[in-house]
Amino acid sequence: MEAGPAEKVTDEEALRLAREVADRLMESAGGAAEKADLADGAPGIALALRYAAEVFDEDRYFKAGQLHLRRTAEMSAAAPLQAPGLYLGTAGVVWAVTEYARLEPRYLPTLATMTDQLARQTRAISLNPAPGSVASHDYDVIGGAAGWLAALRKAADVLGGRATDVTREAADRLVDYLVELTRDDGGPLRWFCAPSHFPTILGPDGEPTPLPGYVKQFPDGVYNLGFAHGPPGILAALCRPDTAHAAGTADQEARSHRVRQGVRELARTLEALRIDSLDYPAWANLLLPHPDSGRPDTGAEQVPARSAWCYGPPGVAASLLPASAACGEPEPTDLAVATLQGLERTPAEQQRINSPTLCHGLAGLVTVYGRAAAQTGLPDLRRMHDAFLSRMCSYADPDHPYLFPDYDPWGGHEHSPGLLTGAAGVMLALLGAVSGTAAEWDELLFLTPRPARGHQSGGTGAETGPDRGMGEK
């Protein structure tokens, strides 16, 4: 468990820990090597090793990552990925291959083929934005349209002229769907999840049936407020500059206008759904529908969500941070900054920060605050980033197989090499904390490209150029 407050971590110490994790991932990735998902399988480990190779300027990490990509391809060929999700399906593999194609042009033909397949896979899925017809996994970051869109846009950026019309059409369709979900017609919000659209398991008769826990807790449906499964992910996906500010044909410009309006409305909705009774910005995990209107019942008693990327203020702030640039209003980014600064006033029992990992732990906070400090230049956010980095590093224990375990709220732990809840995510946070080049990996969490290099602060001599062509022989 955490050893307690620590002194500011030097770049050298952060790099030492990152290298140790990278070496351990090279020696053994355990069962993760047999999974084809980005969240905790081979693609996520490949992504982490790719950035280790770039920062440490060592081809052995790049080659090890290539082996994980090759294993992913073999697994996908034997058992094709049926879902397009970013963290759980095809889009995640596309994301990892895109990152390798940025450095190794020989991946471009493979990337073009996979991106076209992802586009066709998403186009085959029916997406209905009507109120009462939406499930969180239809639109969310983890498995839904927000993640699909981010992967398609990222791949198209790297492919350039190799991107197909099918890819562009699929991305435009996803943009239109997500924009529709931002509309407020005065009744239930469009991203409301009715009981008929709850996650399912197979029942005794072999047919899908809603998870019993959901039905018991949310008999009338639920509004999800987390970045991972709620509207903050929609907001972040729509805030990409190539989505909010696309120019060219009249259709593109009209779509960009709708995107900017959708960003504006959804940012205002998130602000309206914060917990009013606190002197710092906070949100609940979930809100129930009001029994009369069906809209989020903000008057009911609310418990603040934990302080994490997946749920809670840091994740909501991550979605609001780029929204001002996307919609032309200062309020969203102002709220993001106030939210991030407000974490210092949040009682520890509400923060519930008890793990070094990415999804719900300190690596996520290091990444969120690093991005925010780079974008705003605010010393307070840089100071908080450094404090979270020190806390994260204090969890390092050489007796654990991957150096950083994932802890649950009761002190139990698991040893995972994966990205979202394992050591690969911690390693990426360490690398991003000391290298401006490596910090670009965080697009995976925010779904929007980082600010231009000239607008970032920090950086060390550990950086290497992004055009090194690693692995090309």
Side-chain angles (χ1 to χ4, degrees):
M1 292 292 290
E2 188 176 7
E7 296 181 1
K8 182 176 179 179
V9 172
T10 65
D11 290 354
E12 291 74 16
E13 176 63 9
L15 289 170
R16 183 190 70 79
L17 292 172
R19 182 184 288 278
E20 185 166 351
V21 173
D23 289 343
R24 293 185 181 212
L25 290 179
M26 284 188 60
E27 292 171 5
S28 171
E34 304 304 316
K35 299 178 182 178
D37 62 86
L38 186 66
D40 63 354
I45 296 170
L47 179 67
L49 290 170
R50 169 249 189 269
Y51 276 99
E54 191 166 7
V55 170
F56 295 119
D57 195 15
E58 294 188 21
D59 281 354
R60 64 190 182 103
Y61 294 127
F62 194 86
K63 291 176 180 176
Q66 288 179 305
L67 291 176
H68 282 286
L69 284 188
R70 188 175 306 153
R71 180 60 184 142
T72 299
E74 293 170 352
M75 289 185 286
S76 299
L81 294 168
Q82 300 300 318
L86 177 58
Y87 285 93
L88 300 174
T90 308
V93 180
V94 168
W95 192 284
V97 174
T98 302
E99 287 282 19
Y100 275 76
R102 288 175 58 201
L103 300 182
E104 172 51 84
R106 284 179 291 184
Y107 280 101
L108 288 172
T110 298
L111 177 61
T113 299
M114 293 188 62
T115 303
D116 190 69
Q117 290 174 348
L118 172 63
R120 295 178 187 279
Q121 195 174 23
T122 66
R123 288 178 62 183
I125 296 175
S126 176
L127 296 171
N128 185 352
S133 301
V134 178
S136 62
H137 56 264
D138 290 338
Y139 68 77
D140 70 8
V141 166
I142 299 297
W148 312 341
L149 174 62
L152 287 171
R153 291 292 203 199
K154 182 180 179 68
D157 286 347
V158 172
L159 288 170
R162 291 175 181 258
T164 65
D165 289 341
V166 172
T167 296
R168 287 184 284 270
E169 291 167 4
D172 288 345
R173 172 179 180 256
L174 295 176
V175 170
D176 292 341
Y177 169 68
L178 293 176
V179 168
E180 280 297 304
L181 294 183
T182 70
R183 289 178 52 191
D184 185 351
D185 302 317
L189 298 177
R190 289 175 177 253
W191 42 274
F192 168 68
C193 185
S196 58
H197 288 79
F198 283 165
T200 60
I201 57 175
L202 292 180
D205 58 358
E207 294 296 320
T209 182
L211 286 175
Y214 272 68
V215 175
K216 182 178 180 180
Q217 295 181 66
F218 318 119
D220 300 314
V222 69
Y223 288 95
N224 195 311
L225 296 181
F227 190 105
H229 296 295
I234 298 175
L235 182 62
L238 292 177
C239 283
R240 282 189 63 102
D242 54 10
T243 298
H245 300 291
T249 67
D251 285 346
Q252 289 173 323
E253 292 178 358
R255 180 173 286 109
S256 293
H257 175 76
R258 294 196 299 271
V259 168
R260 291 192 292 273
Q261 182 63 26
V263 167
R264 186 177 299 116
E265 292 302 320
L266 191 52
R268 290 173 179 172
T269 297
L270 286 173
E271 181 173 12
L273 296 181
R274 57 184 279 195
I275 300 174
D276 286 334
S277 60
L278 304 173
D279 65 351
Y280 48 86
W283 287 260
N285 283 329
L286 308 161
L287 285 174
L288 300 179
H290 191 280
D292 297 326
S293 67
R295 295 176 66 82
D297 189 359
T298 56
E301 182 179 358
Q302 298 181 56
V303 177
R306 69 192 303 171
S307 299
W309 168 78
C310 55
Y311 281 90
V316 177
S319 73
L320 291 167
L321 198 63
S324 289
C327 73
E329 294 185 351
E331 289 83 2
T333 296
D334 290 345
L335 177 57
V337 170
T339 298
L340 294 171
Q341 292 174 328
L343 202 60
E344 290 192 310
R345 303 195 304 276
T346 305
E349 62 271 16
Q350 289 185 7
Q351 294 183 20
R352 303 198 294 282
I353 304 170
N354 63 289
S355 184
T357 48
L358 198 62
C359 182
H360 50 260
L362 287 157
L365 297 184
V366 169
T367 306
V368 168
Y369 279 83
R371 167 80 79 102
Q375 182 167 326
T376 66
L378 290 174
D380 277 354
L381 299 183
R382 176 58 59 188
R383 174 181 53 79
M384 295 177 74
H385 163 273
D386 293 346
F388 288 130
L389 177 63
S390 295
R391 288 179 62 183
M392 182 182 77
C393 291
S394 72
Y395 278 88
D397 186 340
D399 291 334
H400 292 300
Y402 304 110
L403 197 64
F404 290 95
D406 182 40
Y407 286 93
D408 63 33
W410 303 275
H413 61 271
E414 294 184 357
H415 304 298
S416 169
L419 179 75
L420 274 188
T421 59
V426 179
M427 184 177 78
L428 284 168
L430 287 166
L431 295 173
V434 298
S435 166
T437 299
E440 294 176 0
W441 81 267
D442 73 358
E443 185 181 349
L444 178 59
L445 292 190
F446 286 68
L447 308 183
T448 53
R450 285 181 66 88
R453 196 75 57 83
H455 296 292
Q456 295 181 14
S457 60
T460 74
E463 297 179 16
T464 62
D467 56 349
R468 179 175 172 271
M470 191 84 61
E472 187 172 5
K473 300 299 181 186

